[in-house]
Amino acid sequence: MKLEQAAKQLEALGNPTRLNLYRILVRAGEAGRPVGYLQESLGIAASTLSHHLHRLILTGLVSQERQATTLICRANYPVMNDLIGFLADECCADAACSPAAGDAAA
């Protein structure tokens, strides 16, 4: 993953409403959630929800699928896992990581 893409995704998740929305979708699993459910859960206007979903869709974190008259939103798990991996890939690369070192600091 490129730094710029990770920064865009983290920026999108930096808004409390979008982060809450994303967490709802992550918890929903592959089935996702209908837009109406999301609006009701978050207690926000449809236009506000649309704006927040659009930001998450642009970064690839969320996808949408129309099923008849219902719009289903889903977390894009491969993209989420790539972002988590990007953040963790170089953990402790420049320092020794050991539980003993953490215990000594506490």
Side-chain angles (χ1 to χ4, degrees):
M1 172 175 282
K2 293 185 179 179
L3 181 66
E4 294 80 16
Q5 180 64 20
K8 288 177 184 177
Q9 291 171 344
L10 291 169
E11 180 184 8
L13 293 172
N15 176 281
T17 301
R18 281 193 290 276
L19 182 57
N20 195 19
L21 169 59
Y22 190 66
R23 290 183 73 199
I24 291 170
L25 292 174
V26 168
R27 289 176 57 108
E30 292 294 332
R33 291 282 187 233
V35 169
Y37 175 90
L38 298 171
Q39 184 181 356
E40 185 178 311
S41 295
L42 295 170
I44 59 176
S47 60
T48 303
L49 176 60
S50 178
H51 163 76
H52 288 302
L53 280 170
H54 182 69
R55 290 289 305 272
L56 293 170
I57 291 167
L58 283 177
T59 62
L61 290 166
V62 170
S63 64
Q64 286 184 330
E65 175 189 358
R66 182 161 297 280
Q67 293 180 355
T69 59
T70 304
L71 193 56
I72 305 295
C73 299
R74 292 183 181 87
N76 187 337
Y77 293 101
V79 172
M80 179 187 74
N81 289 329
D82 286 347
L83 179 59
I84 292 168
F86 174 82
L87 294 172
D89 275 348
E90 296 188 36
C91 177
C92 304
D94 295 335
C97 258
S98 68
D103 292 342

